[in-house]
Short mmCIF file of all heavy atoms in Angstrom, two decimals:
data_model
loop_
_atom_site.label_atom_id
_atom_site.label_comp_id
_atom_site.label_asym_id
_atom_site.label_seq_id
_atom_site.Cartn_x
_atom_site.Cartn_y
_atom_site.Cartn_z
N LYS A 191 -19.54 5.61 10.19
CA LYS A 191 -18.66 4.61 10.79
C LYS A 191 -19.24 3.18 10.73
O LYS A 191 -18.93 2.36 11.52
CB LYS A 191 -18.36 4.98 12.25
CG LYS A 191 -17.35 6.09 12.28
CD LYS A 191 -16.56 6.15 13.54
CE LYS A 191 -17.33 6.05 14.76
NZ LYS A 191 -16.61 6.39 15.97
N ARG A 192 -20.11 2.96 9.76
CA ARG A 192 -20.68 1.64 9.64
C ARG A 192 -19.68 0.63 9.12
O ARG A 192 -18.89 0.92 8.24
CB ARG A 192 -21.79 1.72 8.61
CG ARG A 192 -23.15 1.78 9.23
CD ARG A 192 -24.05 0.75 8.65
NE ARG A 192 -24.69 0.03 9.72
CZ ARG A 192 -25.72 0.46 10.39
NH1 ARG A 192 -26.22 1.62 10.15
NH2 ARG A 192 -26.29 -0.29 11.31
N GLY A 193 -19.75 -0.54 9.68
CA GLY A 193 -18.98 -1.64 9.12
C GLY A 193 -19.68 -2.20 7.96
O GLY A 193 -20.82 -1.88 7.67
N GLU A 194 -19.01 -3.10 7.22
CA GLU A 194 -19.68 -3.68 6.04
C GLU A 194 -20.17 -5.07 6.35
O GLU A 194 -19.53 -5.85 7.07
CB GLU A 194 -18.70 -3.69 4.86
CG GLU A 194 -18.66 -2.32 4.21
CD GLU A 194 -17.61 -2.26 3.12
OE1 GLU A 194 -17.33 -3.29 2.51
OE2 GLU A 194 -17.11 -1.15 2.91
N LYS A 195 -21.27 -5.38 5.74
CA LYS A 195 -21.82 -6.73 5.95
C LYS A 195 -21.10 -7.70 5.02
O LYS A 195 -20.68 -7.33 3.93
CB LYS A 195 -23.31 -6.71 5.56
CG LYS A 195 -24.15 -6.12 6.70
CD LYS A 195 -25.02 -7.17 7.36
CE LYS A 195 -25.45 -6.73 8.76
NZ LYS A 195 -26.27 -5.52 8.70
N ARG A 258 -9.66 -17.11 12.37
CA ARG A 258 -10.28 -16.60 13.55
C ARG A 258 -10.92 -17.73 14.36
O ARG A 258 -11.08 -17.67 15.55
CB ARG A 258 -11.33 -15.57 13.18
CG ARG A 258 -11.28 -14.38 14.12
CD ARG A 258 -11.97 -13.20 13.55
NE ARG A 258 -13.29 -13.50 13.04
CZ ARG A 258 -14.19 -12.58 12.81
NH1 ARG A 258 -13.89 -11.33 13.07
NH2 ARG A 258 -15.35 -12.85 12.32
N LYS A 261 -8.86 -20.78 17.72
CA LYS A 261 -8.75 -19.87 18.84
C LYS A 261 -7.32 -19.76 19.43
O LYS A 261 -6.92 -18.68 19.82
CB LYS A 261 -9.68 -20.28 19.97
CG LYS A 261 -11.12 -19.98 19.60
CD LYS A 261 -12.06 -20.23 20.73
CE LYS A 261 -13.45 -19.82 20.33
NZ LYS A 261 -14.45 -20.24 21.28
N SER A 262 -6.60 -20.89 19.47
CA SER A 262 -5.28 -20.83 20.12
C SER A 262 -4.38 -19.93 19.31
O SER A 262 -3.43 -19.33 19.85
CB SER A 262 -4.71 -22.26 20.17
OG SER A 262 -4.68 -22.80 18.92
N TYR A 264 -5.66 -17.36 17.24
CA TYR A 264 -6.24 -16.05 17.13
C TYR A 264 -6.06 -15.22 18.40
O TYR A 264 -5.73 -14.03 18.34
CB TYR A 264 -7.74 -16.23 16.87
CG TYR A 264 -8.57 -14.97 16.78
CD1 TYR A 264 -8.13 -13.89 15.99
CD2 TYR A 264 -9.75 -14.82 17.47
CE1 TYR A 264 -8.88 -12.72 15.89
CE2 TYR A 264 -10.50 -13.68 17.38
CZ TYR A 264 -10.04 -12.62 16.58
OH TYR A 264 -10.78 -11.47 16.51
N TYR A 265 -6.18 -15.85 19.55
CA TYR A 265 -6.08 -15.07 20.80
C TYR A 265 -4.65 -14.93 21.28
O TYR A 265 -4.34 -15.18 22.45
CB TYR A 265 -6.96 -15.72 21.90
CG TYR A 265 -8.42 -15.46 21.62
CD1 TYR A 265 -9.25 -16.51 21.23
CD2 TYR A 265 -8.99 -14.20 21.75
CE1 TYR A 265 -10.59 -16.31 20.94
CE2 TYR A 265 -10.32 -13.98 21.47
CZ TYR A 265 -11.14 -15.03 21.05
OH TYR A 265 -12.47 -14.79 20.77
N GLN A 266 -3.78 -14.56 20.38
CA GLN A 266 -2.42 -14.19 20.74
C GLN A 266 -2.29 -12.67 20.53
O GLN A 266 -2.87 -12.17 19.57
CB GLN A 266 -1.42 -14.86 19.80
CG GLN A 266 -1.36 -16.35 19.87
CD GLN A 266 -0.68 -16.85 21.13
OE1 GLN A 266 0.30 -16.23 21.53
NE2 GLN A 266 -1.20 -17.86 21.72
N PRO A 267 -1.63 -11.95 21.42
CA PRO A 267 -1.65 -10.49 21.30
C PRO A 267 -1.40 -9.96 19.90
O PRO A 267 -2.11 -9.13 19.40
CB PRO A 267 -0.51 -10.05 22.25
CG PRO A 267 -0.39 -11.16 23.22
CD PRO A 267 -0.80 -12.42 22.53
N PHE A 270 -4.14 -11.32 17.30
CA PHE A 270 -5.47 -10.83 17.59
C PHE A 270 -5.85 -9.57 16.83
O PHE A 270 -6.80 -9.48 16.12
CB PHE A 270 -5.54 -10.59 19.10
CG PHE A 270 -6.93 -10.38 19.67
CD1 PHE A 270 -7.90 -11.31 19.46
CD2 PHE A 270 -7.20 -9.25 20.40
CE1 PHE A 270 -9.16 -11.13 19.99
CE2 PHE A 270 -8.45 -9.05 20.94
CZ PHE A 270 -9.46 -9.99 20.74
N VAL A 271 -4.97 -8.57 17.03
CA VAL A 271 -5.24 -7.25 16.39
C VAL A 271 -4.99 -7.37 14.86
O VAL A 271 -5.77 -6.80 14.10
CB VAL A 271 -4.37 -6.18 17.01
CG1 VAL A 271 -4.63 -4.85 16.34
CG2 VAL A 271 -4.62 -6.08 18.49
N SER A 274 -7.92 -9.44 12.99
CA SER A 274 -9.19 -8.72 12.91
C SER A 274 -9.03 -7.45 12.05
O SER A 274 -9.92 -7.06 11.36
CB SER A 274 -9.70 -8.38 14.27
OG SER A 274 -8.80 -7.52 14.93
N GLY A 275 -7.84 -6.84 12.16
CA GLY A 275 -7.58 -5.67 11.35
C GLY A 275 -7.58 -6.00 9.88
O GLY A 275 -8.16 -5.31 9.06
N PHE A 277 -9.06 -8.48 8.52
CA PHE A 277 -10.46 -8.86 8.20
C PHE A 277 -11.19 -7.59 7.73
O PHE A 277 -11.85 -7.57 6.69
CB PHE A 277 -11.09 -9.41 9.49
CG PHE A 277 -12.34 -10.15 9.23
CD1 PHE A 277 -12.29 -11.41 8.66
CD2 PHE A 277 -13.56 -9.62 9.59
CE1 PHE A 277 -13.45 -12.11 8.43
CE2 PHE A 277 -14.71 -10.33 9.38
CZ PHE A 277 -14.65 -11.56 8.78
N HIS A 278 -11.08 -6.58 8.54
CA HIS A 278 -11.73 -5.30 8.28
C HIS A 278 -11.20 -4.70 6.96
O HIS A 278 -11.97 -4.23 6.14
CB HIS A 278 -11.45 -4.37 9.45
CG HIS A 278 -12.19 -3.08 9.41
ND1 HIS A 278 -13.53 -3.02 9.64
CD2 HIS A 278 -11.82 -1.84 9.07
CE1 HIS A 278 -13.91 -1.76 9.57
NE2 HIS A 278 -12.88 -1.00 9.19
N ARG A 281 -12.22 -6.54 3.76
CA ARG A 281 -13.62 -6.30 3.36
C ARG A 281 -13.71 -4.95 2.65
O ARG A 281 -14.56 -4.80 1.76
CB ARG A 281 -14.51 -6.30 4.61
CG ARG A 281 -14.75 -7.67 5.08
CD ARG A 281 -16.11 -7.80 5.71
NE ARG A 281 -16.06 -7.32 7.06
CZ ARG A 281 -16.92 -7.70 8.00
NH1 ARG A 281 -17.87 -8.55 7.71
NH2 ARG A 281 -16.85 -7.24 9.21
N ARG A 480 -8.46 3.69 15.73
CA ARG A 480 -8.38 2.35 16.28
C ARG A 480 -7.15 2.19 17.18
O ARG A 480 -7.25 1.62 18.27
CB ARG A 480 -8.26 1.42 15.08
CG ARG A 480 -8.81 0.08 15.31
CD ARG A 480 -8.97 -0.68 14.03
NE ARG A 480 -9.97 -0.05 13.18
CZ ARG A 480 -9.83 0.01 11.84
NH1 ARG A 480 -8.77 -0.47 11.23
NH2 ARG A 480 -10.79 0.57 11.11
N ILE A 483 -7.53 3.85 20.59
CA ILE A 483 -8.32 3.04 21.52
C ILE A 483 -7.42 1.93 22.12
O ILE A 483 -7.41 1.62 23.32
CB ILE A 483 -9.55 2.47 20.84
CG1 ILE A 483 -10.47 3.56 20.39
CG2 ILE A 483 -10.27 1.50 21.77
CD1 ILE A 483 -11.65 3.10 19.61
N LEU A 484 -6.68 1.27 21.22
CA LEU A 484 -5.81 0.19 21.63
C LEU A 484 -4.81 0.67 22.68
O LEU A 484 -4.55 0.01 23.71
CB LEU A 484 -5.04 -0.38 20.48
CG LEU A 484 -5.86 -1.32 19.61
CD1 LEU A 484 -5.10 -1.70 18.35
CD2 LEU A 484 -6.18 -2.62 20.38
N GLN A 485 -4.32 1.88 22.49
CA GLN A 485 -3.38 2.41 23.50
C GLN A 485 -4.10 2.67 24.82
O GLN A 485 -3.52 2.50 25.89
CB GLN A 485 -2.70 3.67 23.00
CG GLN A 485 -1.44 3.28 22.18
CD GLN A 485 -0.85 4.46 21.47
OE1 GLN A 485 -1.60 5.32 20.92
NE2 GLN A 485 0.44 4.53 21.42
N GLN A 486 -5.31 3.13 24.70
CA GLN A 486 -6.06 3.45 25.93
C GLN A 486 -6.34 2.18 26.76
O GLN A 486 -6.34 2.26 27.99
CB GLN A 486 -7.37 4.15 25.59
CG GLN A 486 -7.18 5.62 25.33
CD GLN A 486 -8.42 6.24 24.81
OE1 GLN A 486 -9.32 5.58 24.34
NE2 GLN A 486 -8.46 7.58 24.85
N VAL A 487 -6.59 1.06 26.10
CA VAL A 487 -6.85 -0.13 26.87
C VAL A 487 -5.55 -0.86 27.22
O VAL A 487 -5.61 -1.98 27.72
CB VAL A 487 -7.83 -1.11 26.17
CG1 VAL A 487 -9.17 -0.48 25.99
CG2 VAL A 487 -7.26 -1.58 24.83
N GLY A 488 -4.45 -0.24 26.99
CA GLY A 488 -3.21 -0.80 27.56
C GLY A 488 -2.30 -1.48 26.61
O GLY A 488 -1.49 -2.34 27.00
N MET A 489 -2.41 -1.20 25.30
CA MET A 489 -1.45 -1.77 24.40
C MET A 489 -0.24 -0.82 24.35
O MET A 489 -0.43 0.36 24.23
CB MET A 489 -2.06 -1.85 22.98
CG MET A 489 -1.34 -2.75 22.03
SD MET A 489 -2.30 -2.92 20.57
CE MET A 489 -1.47 -4.22 19.77
N ASP A 490 0.94 -1.39 24.50
CA ASP A 490 2.07 -0.46 24.57
C ASP A 490 2.55 -0.05 23.18
O ASP A 490 2.21 -0.67 22.16
CB ASP A 490 3.22 -0.98 25.44
CG ASP A 490 3.76 -2.27 24.91
OD1 ASP A 490 4.00 -2.35 23.73
OD2 ASP A 490 3.94 -3.19 25.72
N ASP A 491 3.35 0.98 23.15
CA ASP A 491 3.82 1.58 21.92
C ASP A 491 4.48 0.52 20.98
O ASP A 491 4.27 0.53 19.78
CB ASP A 491 4.86 2.62 22.23
CG ASP A 491 4.51 3.94 21.59
OD1 ASP A 491 3.29 4.22 21.48
OD2 ASP A 491 5.43 4.67 21.21
N GLN A 493 4.00 -2.71 20.85
CA GLN A 493 3.02 -3.61 20.25
C GLN A 493 2.26 -2.91 19.15
O GLN A 493 1.99 -3.51 18.11
CB GLN A 493 2.01 -4.08 21.34
CG GLN A 493 2.53 -5.27 22.12
CD GLN A 493 1.55 -5.62 23.24
OE1 GLN A 493 1.08 -4.72 23.95
NE2 GLN A 493 1.28 -6.86 23.42
N LEU B 58 -2.92 8.81 31.46
CA LEU B 58 -2.85 9.16 30.05
C LEU B 58 -2.22 10.56 29.87
O LEU B 58 -1.82 10.92 28.81
CB LEU B 58 -4.24 9.17 29.41
CG LEU B 58 -4.95 7.80 29.28
CD1 LEU B 58 -6.42 7.97 28.93
CD2 LEU B 58 -4.23 6.99 28.22
N ARG B 79 7.69 3.35 29.65
CA ARG B 79 7.44 2.15 28.90
C ARG B 79 6.65 1.10 29.72
O ARG B 79 6.12 0.14 29.18
CB ARG B 79 8.70 1.57 28.31
CG ARG B 79 9.68 1.09 29.31
CD ARG B 79 11.07 0.92 28.70
NE ARG B 79 12.11 1.26 29.63
CZ ARG B 79 12.42 0.46 30.67
NH1 ARG B 79 11.84 -0.70 30.83
NH2 ARG B 79 13.37 0.79 31.50
N SER B 82 1.91 1.53 30.11
CA SER B 82 0.75 0.84 29.50
C SER B 82 0.48 -0.47 30.22
O SER B 82 -0.68 -0.88 30.33
CB SER B 82 0.97 0.66 28.00
OG SER B 82 2.25 0.26 27.74
N GLU B 83 1.51 -1.14 30.66
CA GLU B 83 1.32 -2.37 31.38
C GLU B 83 0.63 -2.08 32.72
O GLU B 83 -0.32 -2.78 33.13
CB GLU B 83 2.66 -3.07 31.62
CG GLU B 83 2.49 -4.50 32.08
CD GLU B 83 3.80 -5.10 32.55
OE1 GLU B 83 4.85 -4.58 32.24
OE2 GLU B 83 3.72 -6.09 33.30
N ARG B 85 -1.33 0.42 33.35
CA ARG B 85 -2.72 0.77 33.03
C ARG B 85 -3.56 -0.47 32.82
O ARG B 85 -4.63 -0.65 33.29
CB ARG B 85 -2.73 1.57 31.73
CG ARG B 85 -3.14 2.97 31.94
CD ARG B 85 -3.48 3.76 30.72
NE ARG B 85 -2.77 3.52 29.50
CZ ARG B 85 -1.77 4.28 29.05
NH1 ARG B 85 -1.31 5.30 29.77
NH2 ARG B 85 -1.19 3.99 27.94
N ARG B 86 -2.97 -1.43 32.05
CA ARG B 86 -3.64 -2.63 31.70
C ARG B 86 -3.97 -3.46 32.93
O ARG B 86 -5.07 -4.01 33.08
CB ARG B 86 -2.69 -3.46 30.79
CG ARG B 86 -3.35 -4.39 29.89
CD ARG B 86 -2.39 -4.69 28.76
NE ARG B 86 -1.16 -5.31 29.19
CZ ARG B 86 0.00 -5.22 28.56
NH1 ARG B 86 0.06 -4.53 27.47
NH2 ARG B 86 1.06 -5.83 29.01
N PHE B 91 -11.19 1.30 32.16
CA PHE B 91 -11.75 2.55 31.68
C PHE B 91 -13.11 2.34 31.06
O PHE B 91 -13.30 1.35 30.30
CB PHE B 91 -10.89 3.13 30.59
CG PHE B 91 -9.51 3.51 31.10
CD1 PHE B 91 -8.45 2.64 30.89
CD2 PHE B 91 -9.30 4.69 31.75
CE1 PHE B 91 -7.20 2.95 31.31
CE2 PHE B 91 -8.04 5.03 32.19
CZ PHE B 91 -7.00 4.15 31.99
N PHE B 93 -15.47 4.92 28.64
CA PHE B 93 -15.48 6.26 28.02
C PHE B 93 -16.83 6.71 27.60
O PHE B 93 -17.73 5.86 27.41
CB PHE B 93 -14.57 6.26 26.76
CG PHE B 93 -13.17 5.84 27.02
CD1 PHE B 93 -12.80 4.50 26.93
CD2 PHE B 93 -12.20 6.74 27.42
CE1 PHE B 93 -11.54 4.06 27.15
CE2 PHE B 93 -10.91 6.28 27.65
CZ PHE B 93 -10.55 4.98 27.53
N ASN B 97 -15.61 3.83 22.81
CA ASN B 97 -14.33 3.37 22.34
C ASN B 97 -14.21 1.91 22.15
O ASN B 97 -13.23 1.24 22.52
CB ASN B 97 -13.22 3.84 23.30
CG ASN B 97 -12.81 5.29 23.02
OD1 ASN B 97 -13.45 5.92 22.18
ND2 ASN B 97 -11.83 5.80 23.74
N LEU B 98 -15.23 1.33 21.48
CA LEU B 98 -15.10 -0.07 21.14
C LEU B 98 -14.53 -0.13 19.72
O LEU B 98 -14.73 0.78 18.93
CB LEU B 98 -16.49 -0.74 21.12
CG LEU B 98 -17.16 -0.87 22.51
CD1 LEU B 98 -18.52 -1.52 22.32
CD2 LEU B 98 -16.34 -1.72 23.44
N LEU B 99 -13.81 -1.18 19.42
CA LEU B 99 -13.25 -1.34 18.06
C LEU B 99 -14.21 -1.97 17.12
O LEU B 99 -14.75 -3.05 17.41
CB LEU B 99 -11.94 -2.11 18.14
CG LEU B 99 -10.81 -1.42 18.85
CD1 LEU B 99 -9.75 -2.43 19.23
CD2 LEU B 99 -10.23 -0.35 17.96
N ASP B 100 -14.47 -1.31 16.00
CA ASP B 100 -15.38 -1.87 15.01
C ASP B 100 -14.92 -3.18 14.37
O ASP B 100 -15.71 -3.86 13.77
CB ASP B 100 -15.62 -0.83 13.89
CG ASP B 100 -16.69 0.16 14.26
OD1 ASP B 100 -17.41 -0.12 15.21
OD2 ASP B 100 -16.77 1.21 13.59
N THR B 101 -13.60 -3.40 14.50
CA THR B 101 -13.07 -4.59 13.83
C THR B 101 -13.29 -5.84 14.68
O THR B 101 -13.03 -6.95 14.20
CB THR B 101 -11.59 -4.42 13.57
OG1 THR B 101 -10.97 -4.03 14.80
CG2 THR B 101 -11.36 -3.38 12.53
N PHE B 102 -13.72 -5.66 15.93
CA PHE B 102 -13.92 -6.83 16.79
C PHE B 102 -15.39 -7.05 17.14
O PHE B 102 -16.11 -6.11 17.24
CB PHE B 102 -13.18 -6.62 18.12
CG PHE B 102 -11.67 -6.70 18.04
CD1 PHE B 102 -10.89 -5.65 18.30
CD2 PHE B 102 -11.06 -7.90 17.71
CE1 PHE B 102 -9.51 -5.72 18.23
CE2 PHE B 102 -9.70 -8.02 17.61
CZ PHE B 102 -8.93 -6.92 17.91
N THR B 103 -15.73 -8.30 17.41
CA THR B 103 -17.06 -8.54 17.98
C THR B 103 -17.05 -8.06 19.39
O THR B 103 -15.98 -7.77 19.95
CB THR B 103 -17.37 -10.06 17.98
OG1 THR B 103 -16.36 -10.70 18.74
CG2 THR B 103 -17.42 -10.63 16.59
N LYS B 105 -17.47 -9.70 22.03
CA LYS B 105 -16.69 -10.62 22.86
C LYS B 105 -15.21 -10.34 22.76
O LYS B 105 -14.50 -10.25 23.74
CB LYS B 105 -17.00 -12.06 22.39
CG LYS B 105 -16.28 -13.10 23.24
CD LYS B 105 -16.55 -14.48 22.70
CE LYS B 105 -15.62 -15.49 23.35
NZ LYS B 105 -15.61 -16.78 22.67
N ASP B 106 -14.75 -10.13 21.52
CA ASP B 106 -13.33 -9.88 21.30
C ASP B 106 -12.93 -8.52 21.90
O ASP B 106 -11.82 -8.36 22.40
CB ASP B 106 -12.97 -9.97 19.81
CG ASP B 106 -12.98 -11.40 19.32
OD1 ASP B 106 -13.06 -12.27 20.19
OD2 ASP B 106 -12.93 -11.59 18.12
N LEU B 109 -12.49 -9.14 25.48
CA LEU B 109 -11.30 -9.96 25.73
C LEU B 109 -9.98 -9.20 25.49
O LEU B 109 -8.92 -9.65 25.93
CB LEU B 109 -11.34 -11.21 24.92
CG LEU B 109 -12.29 -12.28 25.31
CD1 LEU B 109 -12.32 -13.45 24.34
CD2 LEU B 109 -12.01 -12.78 26.71
N LEU B 110 -10.07 -8.11 24.76
CA LEU B 110 -8.84 -7.42 24.31
C LEU B 110 -7.78 -7.26 25.38
O LEU B 110 -6.64 -7.65 25.19
CB LEU B 110 -9.23 -6.07 23.69
CG LEU B 110 -8.14 -5.27 23.04
CD1 LEU B 110 -7.46 -6.06 21.91
CD2 LEU B 110 -8.68 -3.94 22.50
N PRO B 111 -8.15 -6.69 26.58
CA PRO B 111 -7.08 -6.53 27.59
C PRO B 111 -6.47 -7.86 28.03
O PRO B 111 -5.26 -7.93 28.24
CB PRO B 111 -7.79 -5.87 28.76
CG PRO B 111 -9.13 -5.44 28.27
CD PRO B 111 -9.43 -6.19 27.03
N VAL B 113 -6.24 -10.60 26.23
CA VAL B 113 -5.37 -11.08 25.13
C VAL B 113 -4.04 -10.39 25.22
O VAL B 113 -2.96 -11.01 25.06
CB VAL B 113 -6.01 -10.89 23.79
CG1 VAL B 113 -5.05 -11.28 22.68
CG2 VAL B 113 -7.27 -11.76 23.66
N LEU B 114 -4.07 -9.06 25.46
CA LEU B 114 -2.85 -8.32 25.50
C LEU B 114 -1.98 -8.79 26.67
O LEU B 114 -0.76 -8.67 26.65
CB LEU B 114 -3.11 -6.83 25.65
CG LEU B 114 -3.75 -6.14 24.43
CD1 LEU B 114 -4.03 -4.66 24.73
CD2 LEU B 114 -2.85 -6.25 23.22
N GLN B 116 -1.81 -11.84 27.55
CA GLN B 116 -1.49 -13.22 27.23
C GLN B 116 -2.06 -14.20 28.21
O GLN B 116 -1.41 -15.15 28.71
CB GLN B 116 0.04 -13.42 27.16
CG GLN B 116 0.70 -12.40 26.22
CD GLN B 116 2.03 -12.84 25.74
OE1 GLN B 116 2.70 -13.64 26.34
NE2 GLN B 116 2.45 -12.31 24.59
N LEU B 119 -6.29 -19.26 27.10
CA LEU B 119 -7.55 -19.27 26.42
C LEU B 119 -8.72 -19.64 27.39
O LEU B 119 -9.78 -19.03 27.43
CB LEU B 119 -7.49 -20.22 25.26
CG LEU B 119 -8.53 -20.10 24.18
CD1 LEU B 119 -8.43 -18.74 23.54
CD2 LEU B 119 -8.32 -21.16 23.12
N MET B 122 -9.71 -17.00 29.84
CA MET B 122 -10.46 -15.91 29.22
C MET B 122 -11.94 -16.30 29.08
O MET B 122 -12.80 -15.53 29.41
CB MET B 122 -9.89 -15.63 27.82
CG MET B 122 -8.53 -15.01 27.86
SD MET B 122 -8.10 -14.17 26.34
CE MET B 122 -7.55 -15.44 25.30
N GLU B 123 -12.17 -17.52 28.59
CA GLU B 123 -13.55 -17.99 28.44
C GLU B 123 -14.27 -18.01 29.79
O GLU B 123 -15.40 -17.61 29.89
CB GLU B 123 -13.56 -19.40 27.82
CG GLU B 123 -12.81 -19.53 26.51
CD GLU B 123 -13.73 -19.33 25.31
OE1 GLU B 123 -14.94 -19.53 25.44
OE2 GLU B 123 -13.21 -18.96 24.23
N TYR B 142 -21.20 -7.28 16.22
CA TYR B 142 -20.22 -6.18 16.08
C TYR B 142 -20.79 -4.91 16.72
O TYR B 142 -22.01 -4.75 16.77
CB TYR B 142 -19.88 -5.93 14.66
CG TYR B 142 -18.93 -6.97 14.09
CD1 TYR B 142 -19.39 -8.15 13.52
CD2 TYR B 142 -17.52 -6.79 14.15
CE1 TYR B 142 -18.48 -9.10 13.05
CE2 TYR B 142 -16.68 -7.76 13.73
CZ TYR B 142 -17.13 -8.90 13.16
OH TYR B 142 -16.26 -9.83 12.72
N TYR B 144 -21.29 -2.01 15.70
CA TYR B 144 -22.24 -1.27 14.91
C TYR B 144 -23.59 -1.93 14.77
O TYR B 144 -24.48 -1.43 14.12
CB TYR B 144 -21.67 -0.90 13.54
CG TYR B 144 -21.02 -2.05 12.82
CD1 TYR B 144 -21.76 -2.93 12.10
CD2 TYR B 144 -19.61 -2.20 12.85
CE1 TYR B 144 -21.18 -3.99 11.46
CE2 TYR B 144 -19.01 -3.27 12.22
CZ TYR B 144 -19.79 -4.17 11.48
OH TYR B 144 -19.23 -5.21 10.83
N GLU B 145 -23.68 -3.15 15.34
CA GLU B 145 -24.99 -3.87 15.24
C GLU B 145 -25.77 -3.75 16.50
O GLU B 145 -26.90 -4.29 16.55
CB GLU B 145 -24.71 -5.36 14.90
CG GLU B 145 -24.08 -5.58 13.56
CD GLU B 145 -23.63 -7.03 13.37
OE1 GLU B 145 -23.10 -7.66 14.30
OE2 GLU B 145 -23.86 -7.55 12.26
N ARG B 158 -15.40 -4.84 29.36
CA ARG B 158 -14.00 -4.76 29.00
C ARG B 158 -13.17 -4.17 30.11
O ARG B 158 -12.04 -4.57 30.38
CB ARG B 158 -13.81 -3.98 27.72
CG ARG B 158 -12.36 -3.87 27.28
CD ARG B 158 -12.22 -3.08 26.00
NE ARG B 158 -12.55 -1.68 26.20
CZ ARG B 158 -12.62 -0.78 25.25
NH1 ARG B 158 -12.41 -1.12 24.02
NH2 ARG B 158 -12.92 0.50 25.49
#
Side-chain angles (χ1 to χ4, degrees):
Chain A
K191 285 204 313 192
R192 259 232 130 80
E194 280 174 28
K195 283 249 161 61
R258 223 163 49 164
K261 287 187 176 172
S262 56
Y264 178 49
Y265 288 109
Q266 296 286 321
F270 192 56
V271 180
S274 63
F277 196 74
H278 186 75
R281 284 212 279 204
R480 209 166 295 143
I483 297 174
L484 282 171
Q485 272 171 322
Q486 279 171 343
V487 296
M489 195 171 192
D490 61 47
D491 233 35
Q493 276 174 316
Chain B
L58 292 167
R79 65 196 146 74
S82 44
E83 194 191 340
R85 247 194 326 261
R86 206 158 62 207
F91 299 96
F93 303 90
N97 279 2
L98 294 178
L99 290 163
D100 275 345
T101 51
F102 287 117
T103 58
K105 183 183 169 193
D106 288 348
L109 287 177
L110 186 60
V113 173
L114 291 177
Q116 309 201 335
L119 200 60
M122 291 201 277
E123 304 267 337
Y142 282 88
Y144 47 82
E145 295 172 318
R158 180 179 68 186

